[in-house]
Amino acid sequence: MNAVDVFCSNLQNALAGGTLRKLTLGKLRDELAGQEHIYVRPVEVRGELQLSFVHRYPDRDITKNFPAADALARIRAWLGTAALAATLFSTAERVQLVFNRRGKPQLRRQPETGEPPSLRHDQSKARLLRDERFLVQLGVLDPSGRPRTQMGDKYRQVHHFIELVAPLIRDLKPGERIKVVDLGSGKGYLTFALYVFLTEKGLQADVTGIEQRRPLVDLGNEIARNCGYGGLRFEAARIAETGLAGADLVVALHACDTATDDALLEAIRAGAHWILAAPCCHKEVRPQIRAPEGLEPLFRFGIQVDRLAESVTDTLRALCLEAAGYETRIQEFINLEHTPKNLL
């Protein structure tokens, strides 16, 4: 069987065995053009097992349900034509099907753990942020509270980031102080989200966003004042020149090139309890890579060597953190279909 047939067989078996959690379709075109993603999950409708399709557009979601056989046929017809990426999540593994530029499918697998799927039709997404005023002022939401066109991914990224932070601070008690520094905060989407989440948990949060670009610093401070966020401020500074003394949580998301390394170094020096970094571009290792004798053909393609350099760099960073006494994990931050710089 080819990769598509194997993927569809895995999907059918997971559905029949009750282990299918969800399916994501991406890189959409042709009849599915204009949609960001399609999310599929099993549901029970009047005693019948069906698949629920959530068609996600930039400004709305459309849900359609189909009997299992019809749904599987629909998915099979889309793969390689209208959908060039698909990821299957079961209780035991994650299976990803990706088509390259020549239309050749590639299959990737990795272990996955998760709860058995719920077949309830009326599931609602629990959000950890209640106060979203800052997202309105930053232009992510319109005045009615709905994501603006092309901002749906940013809205989900903000909430997903908070879901990743929540387990880290679960042992903190209301009233405790926590100092947070966000290095390279940019427009401040996640800086604001951190402050709101921590204060909603009853913590005394002191949050600072560090950003070189003065207009973004001024914008962040203006929005913080408008929303009454007294413990949140933005400062214009370079990461390498920022003192982190007393910081409990240091965040550096998509700090370019060696700015990520500057952030890690300063956070380690400050003894930060938690460090969250999502590396961006990094060029230090790439020029140093040389093909070992006899393996030159493996280094013919520049894009593969670039990816090797990135993998080596991120692994070195993780090892340096472990050498400094940190328990370290590398995981996906956001969906690979949104950006290849998706490691946290």
Side-chain angles (χ1 to χ4, degrees):
M1 290 193 297
N2 63 30
V4 176
D5 291 333
V6 172
F7 183 86
C8 291
S9 178
N10 288 167
L11 172 60
Q12 187 170 5
N13 291 340
L15 180 62
T19 63
L20 174 63
R21 294 173 55 220
K22 63 179 178 180
L23 171 74
T24 301
L25 299 173
K27 294 185 179 179
L28 306 178
R29 62 182 189 178
D30 296 342
E31 63 186 283
L32 303 179
Q35 303 176 48
E36 296 177 344
H37 297 92
I38 299 175
Y39 301 100
V40 184
R41 66 179 182 87
V43 296
E44 188 175 283
V45 180
R46 293 186 292 276
E48 178 188 8
L49 179 62
Q50 297 191 4
L51 286 177
S52 177
F53 289 64
V54 177
H55 297 257
R56 178 150 291 166
Y57 292 84
D59 57 350
R60 67 193 188 281
D61 289 350
I62 297 177
T63 302
K64 301 178 181 179
N65 299 329
F66 299 95
D70 293 345
L72 292 172
R74 185 178 296 263
I75 293 169
R76 179 64 178 83
W78 285 339
L79 293 176
T81 56
L84 301 184
T87 305
L88 165 65
F89 297 86
S90 72
T91 57
E93 66 176 347
R94 177 189 306 188
V95 184
Q96 186 176 39
L97 179 69
V98 179
F99 293 83
N100 64 20
R101 293 180 180 177
R102 296 182 178 89
K104 182 179 179 180
Q106 297 177 330
L107 206 59
R108 304 166 187 163
R109 297 178 181 274
Q110 65 184 80
E112 180 83 6
T113 57
E115 296 294 325
S118 169
L119 300 182
R120 286 184 53 194
H121 187 266
D122 57 346
Q123 297 187 78
S124 59
K125 178 67 173 178
R127 299 294 188 187
L128 296 179
L129 291 177
R130 296 188 297 274
D131 179 3
E132 295 186 332
R133 289 175 295 159
F134 69 95
L135 291 174
V136 175
Q137 297 208 28
L138 285 170
V140 177
L141 303 179
D142 63 23
S144 68
R146 295 180 61 86
R148 293 184 182 275
T149 302
Q150 305 300 325
M151 296 302 287
D153 283 345
K154 177 61 67 178
Y155 180 71
R156 287 184 287 275
Q157 179 189 350
V158 168
H159 282 277
H160 181 55
F161 176 68
I162 295 304
E163 291 172 2
L164 295 175
V165 172
L168 302 180
I169 59 119
R170 61 176 176 267
D171 293 330
L172 298 182
K173 303 295 188 296
E176 289 190 54
R177 293 183 176 275
I178 180 171
K179 181 176 180 179
V180 180
V181 181
D182 184 2
L183 298 170
S185 56
K187 202 171 180 181
Y189 299 107
L190 303 182
T191 323
F192 279 100
L194 273 171
Y195 177 79
V196 170
F197 174 67
L198 295 172
T199 53
E200 288 181 344
K201 297 290 288 184
L203 300 171
Q204 296 188 45
D206 177 2
V207 178
T208 304
I210 302 297
E211 171 57 46
Q212 291 189 67
R213 292 164 288 184
R214 171 60 70 176
L216 296 183
V217 171
D218 294 340
L219 174 65
N221 284 325
E222 179 183 358
I223 294 175
R225 286 192 299 270
N226 292 342
C227 293
Y229 300 155
L232 172 61
R233 63 188 177 280
F234 292 84
E235 298 178 0
R238 293 170 54 87
I239 290 177
E241 301 167 352
T242 302
L244 299 178
D248 301 296
L249 169 61
V250 175
V251 179
L253 303 182
H254 299 138
C256 287
D257 205 8
T258 56
T260 294
D261 304 289
D262 293 335
L264 295 178
L265 176 61
E266 295 305 319
I268 291 171
R269 285 175 171 170
H273 194 70
W274 303 284
I275 304 172
L276 297 177
C280 191
C281 52
H282 26 71
K283 307 299 183 184
E284 290 293 304
V285 170
R286 175 63 175 87
Q288 303 176 54
I289 292 181
R290 299 290 184 272
E293 185 177 354
L295 296 180
E296 290 86 357
L298 296 180
F299 291 77
R300 283 177 52 200
F301 304 102
I303 188 172
Q304 296 299 95
V305 181
D306 290 343
R307 290 175 178 175
L308 173 63
E310 292 180 355
S311 179
V312 169
T313 301
D314 289 337
T315 300
L316 287 171
R317 287 165 169 162
L319 293 174
C320 287
L321 285 166
E322 289 186 346
Y326 287 88
E327 179 183 343
T328 307
R329 291 180 56 191
I330 298 179
Q331 66 184 77
E332 281 190 357
F333 172 34
I334 53 179
N335 198 305
L336 184 62
E337 294 156 358
H338 299 166
T339 171
K341 312 298 183 181
N342 74 327
L343 296 184
L344 181 69

